[in-house]
Amino acid sequence: MKQVVLETHISLYISVHLGAQVNMSMESSSSSRSDVAFSSHVWKYHVFLNFRGEDTRKTFVDHLHTALVQQGIYAYKDDETLPQGKSIGPSLMTAIEDSQISVIVFSKNYADSSWCLDELVHIMKCKDRRGQIVMPVFYDVDPSEVRKQKGKYGEAFVKHELENNKKVESWRKALMDAGNISGWETEHIANGHESKCERVLMILVCSICRHESKCIEKIVDTISHNLHPVTSSVDDNLVGVETRMQDLISKLQIGFGGKRMIGIWGLGGGGKTTLASSVYDKISSKFDGCCFLKNIREETSNKNGLERLQEKILCGVLKQKQVDVGRVEEGRNMIKDRLHHRKVLILLDDVDNLEHLEELAGSRDWFGEGSRIIITTRDEHVLTAHKVDVIHNISLLNTDEAMKLFCKHAPQGYRRIKDYQQLSKDAVSYAGGLPLALRVLGRFLCDKETNEWRSALDRLKEIPDANILEKLKISFDGLTSEERELFLDIACFFRGRIKDEDVMMKLDACGFHSVIGIKVLVQKALITISEYGMFDMHDLIQEMAHYIVRREHPKNPAKHSRVWKEEDVLKICAMDETTNLDRIEAIHVLCFRSDESQLVVQVAANMKKLRWIDFDFDFEPIEDGLIETPLGLIIIPENFPPRELCCLTLRWLDAKQLWEGYKYLPNLRMIKLSRLDSLIKTPDFKGLPNLERFLVYECWSLEEIHPSFGRLANIVYVVIQDCDNLMIVPPINRLKKLETLVLSGCTSFDNLSKIEQNMEHLVPHNMNHIGLRLISGCLRKLDLNRCNLGDGDIKSAAFWELTNLQELNLERNKFVRLNFSLLQLPRLKYLNIRYCKHLLELAELPLSIAVVVADGCESLESFGDISNCKWLWKVSLIGNHKLSPLAGDIVLNSMLQVWLFIFILYKKNKGES
């Protein structure tokens, strides 16, 4: 009875004092251990129990072991776990090494056992070398007795020393180190209760038993919070994760101190969460506290969702059952205050809002030394704006990995599926290395027969799998309305196209603000820009976009917002004339027969909401494929183009004019005409108040740009190239916003008398002979290459007053001497005079000049005085020229001076940083 009372009194004390000490114990224990190099070791046991059998085996330790087993915690207790016939010594040492946590129960007679002391020495070695967690329980013994070997412990060591035991010093050190770890401390609090009457004693025993139960419950709870899976963290059904884990772990730099934030970024279903959770499971034992927050995007959409997530972080890291956060600001302050000195691992999964991230892990300073924060997201902007240390771009599965994963979910097994290998390849090809798609398809096809496989794969070409689609569509749903429209345009019309100026102008004409819009789409992993500068995206992302466009009416293209397939265009053309076409916003057409082309133009004129037309009416091939003939003349309907049009692109359209007289098109911002061989003059521009870009290429018959062009208030970009018969171009001095003007290959400009005769009634006599009075405060780029210009075209500074011009291209003209003192070009930086074969002298270059390209100027003899050209850093003279060695040295010296200046500036800035 005395023994029972003693044990229950000890348990009572534990239950009273444990709550205040256990967190301190675990913090001190885990934070005191040094960082260890990351290991792929897989634990065999959760807990190893080290105890003196005759003191506690049948009482406290037995109850503790039972409670651990009931909670699914695999604990090693030598009489319970050791297999029959095994040698006790080596087996126990191996069990210690294979355990995550060692619980040491120090009792009064503990030090009498050399066996217990040997185990203790090995436990402390595993703590230092393997990162094992050590939890001491001082059972009815003061920790100072353990540390200093006093009392019963001192008596035991007198005996050990008399036996001349060589292990005494290592035992003493192990006891001292273990005694310094804060743990559960108990003392004998019986205080004579053993001598009281039986009735009082029975009441006390019942009460103390209840307290022991609570005490053990708290111990088990603490152990649970410090446990990590004893099995491998990599699911057998996952493929390719192990190598990706090692790559990510190397970026985390476990064991190197510091505080790091790592972002994992990629498209939906690409394996971000799988990778992050696998790494989390593998490294979490190295931290004082850990927390894995799943589905943050979804959780924060709930009422008080952010506060609940802050509570989860605090509960997870501090190992508490409940923490109350009333306001987001309160939670933010609590995280900073409570976790500031803790080495934590926090995984924030599926973050889509920067503000949410700032409230959960706002700064590295919130956390202790050695902490690691892992963030998964579909939006790269969240990571860059938060200034994470590394952004890990998720890599999709290669073909072999994809096949392996698919076959795990759709194994052939005992079934004889004809063409299983080829059908599997088709499914893998469709999935494009996306783990989500491979799993969904594999699980769907796993019990299907051969003909059902074929049918399912055929159906996917028209109707995407809903489970895959909804996962991918999350990123699309998170876009603004303008970004959604931009994405759909790129997916339907521009995938595989180079992201060049032409494409960007078309997108801008539709009001999409393409530069920032494309950046957002790239950051949200919806599109990519290839190494060759082309728009690209995952096949399933493009399929999702196509599905969004046609989902409500998959068989009726007249009700789609975008039309890009030739068969859909022809289907629309074949419909009744009364068919409502008001849903079509953009159309791309490639036609080969003149009758088709005429019909397409007539149908497009009835598309009331059409904002973008891209018609490419190519040549009609003759049967032998060797001879091509132009299409028949197209008659443009009076209601073409539609009023809402923003961008008009026409190629190979055989029409003499686009429309007759005045036509009000208030939204039209871009016109691009190419190879309109019969076009003689441009339309009247008076009804186009918002036209910003006008481009004409290879319109051989074009003779005149309509005079109203010179009064376009918003025009910024003009290209007229290879229009051999063009003779009349209105003055540009009223084009207040014009930034780029290209007049290239317009060779008829050399017939001065004819041009002057035609322009006499249009422009004053002080215009130069090409009809351009080059006076503009906005023009930044001027291209006049291949225009048969000579010295006479630069007669007076009055004709060339371009105060903001930065680029000038005079390539392949007939100049003999170019003297820039006649021109007012104070900001000119780039000059191209390539293949001006008659040019002898280049004089008085602007002081602002930085680059001169004079390749193929075979007659060039003089560069003039460039000593004052302080910014000239590049002169290209590829091919023959007649510059003297002295002139060449002067040019070289000028360039070297600039390079020296740049180098000094670079070194200075680097030193300051």
Side-chain angles (χ1 to χ4, degrees), residues 805-808 820 825-832 842 845-854 863 866 868-876 891-892 894-899 901-902:
L805 191 70
Q806 296 182 6
E807 294 183 44
L808 177 59
F820 285 87
L825 310 174
R827 289 183 173 82
L828 187 66
K829 296 179 179 179
Y830 177 89
L831 174 64
N832 181 1
L842 189 63
L845 285 170
L847 301 182
S848 58
I849 197 71
V851 177
V852 176
V853 180
F863 235 86
I866 58 172
N868 291 322
C869 296
K870 303 299 185 182
W871 299 103
L872 183 61
W873 66 272
K874 179 180 179 180
V875 176
S876 180
V891 171
L892 181 59
S894 177
M895 293 166 58
L896 288 174
Q897 291 294 326
V898 176
W899 279 109
F901 173 75
I902 293 172

Side-chain angles (χ1 to χ4, degrees), residues 81-101:
T81 315
L82 189 66
Q84 292 290 329
K86 290 288 184 180
S87 173
I88 293 177
S91 298
L92 283 175
M93 297 306 170
T94 301
I96 292 170
E97 294 169 3
D98 288 343
S99 300
Q100 286 186 52
I101 298 173

Side-chain angles (χ1 to χ4, degrees), residues 386-587:
H386 201 57
K387 296 180 173 58
V388 300
D389 296 289
V390 175
I391 296 178
H392 181 84
N393 191 353
I394 199 76
S395 58
L396 301 183
L397 302 180
N398 62 38
T399 302
D400 292 340
E401 291 171 332
M403 181 64 79
K404 187 180 295 185
L405 178 60
F406 176 78
C407 292
K408 277 182 176 290
H409 291 286
Q412 184 173 14
Y414 63 89
R415 295 176 300 135
R416 302 288 296 177
I417 299 178
K418 186 180 179 182
D419 299 328
Y420 172 81
Q421 195 69 21
Q422 184 57 50
L423 290 171
S424 297
K425 287 181 179 179
D426 293 342
V428 166
S429 175
Y430 172 82
L434 194 70
L436 166 71
L438 291 162
R439 287 194 298 272
V440 170
L441 290 177
R443 290 167 182 169
F444 176 71
L445 295 171
C446 65
D447 60 348
K448 306 297 187 294
E449 300 300 329
T450 302
N451 61 332
E452 294 166 338
W453 276 53
R454 290 198 175 95
S455 176
L457 293 173
D458 287 341
R459 183 178 65 179
L460 285 172
K461 295 175 183 177
E462 296 185 13
I463 307 173
D465 183 277
N467 294 316
I468 301 172
L469 182 67
E470 289 307 311
K471 187 75 172 179
L472 296 177
K473 195 169 172 287
I474 290 172
S475 295
F476 176 81
D477 292 338
L479 300 174
T480 65
S481 58
E482 180 182 300
E483 290 162 354
R484 291 179 188 179
E485 297 301 315
L486 173 61
F487 166 70
L488 293 176
D489 270 11
I490 292 173
C492 294
F493 300 117
F494 296 112
R495 186 185 180 191
R497 291 275 302 274
I498 293 177
K499 178 180 164 282
D500 56 12
E501 191 174 30
D502 180 62
V503 171
M504 298 295 280
M505 286 190 296
K506 291 176 180 177
L507 296 172
D508 282 338
C510 294
F512 290 145
H513 304 94
S514 60
V515 173
I516 186 60
I518 288 170
K519 179 67 174 179
V520 170
L521 298 181
V522 169
Q523 289 183 322
K524 289 186 178 292
L526 286 169
I527 69 172
T528 60
I529 306 299
S530 74
E531 60 180 318
Y532 303 108
M534 292 189 296
F535 287 108
D536 203 1
M537 62 187 66
H538 193 279
D539 289 343
L540 293 179
I541 293 288
Q542 185 180 41
E543 187 172 282
M544 175 195 74
H546 291 174
Y547 179 75
I548 291 171
V549 169
R550 61 175 187 249
R551 59 185 164 186
E552 294 180 3
H553 305 279
K555 301 297 184 182
N556 186 359
K559 295 185 180 296
H560 300 168
S561 63
R562 292 156 180 84
V563 181
W564 64 94
K565 291 184 177 181
E566 183 180 352
E567 57 267 31
D568 287 343
V569 174
L570 296 177
K571 186 181 291 186
I572 292 172
C573 290
M575 293 179 178
D576 188 270
E577 291 183 1
T578 61
T579 302
N580 189 332
L581 302 175
D582 288 353
R583 292 196 179 185
I584 300 176
E585 299 176 13
I587 183 170

Side-chain angles (χ1 to χ4, degrees), residues 300-337:
T300 51
S301 65
N302 300 325
K303 184 179 180 180
N304 300 324
L306 203 52
E307 292 90 335
R308 302 294 82 81
L309 292 173
Q310 291 173 327
E311 290 174 354
K312 287 181 180 180
I313 289 178
L314 291 164
C315 289
V317 173
L318 299 176
K319 303 177 178 66
Q320 296 181 4
K321 287 188 175 180
Q322 183 173 347
V323 175
D324 292 324
V325 173
R327 297 176 299 110
V328 171
E329 295 77 12
E330 179 186 352
R332 179 188 179 101
N333 292 330
M334 288 176 68
I335 292 172
K336 287 192 288 185
D337 182 61

Side-chain angles (χ1 to χ4, degrees), residues 67 223 277 365 699 752:
I223 291 173
S277 61
D365 295 337
C699 292
L752 179 58

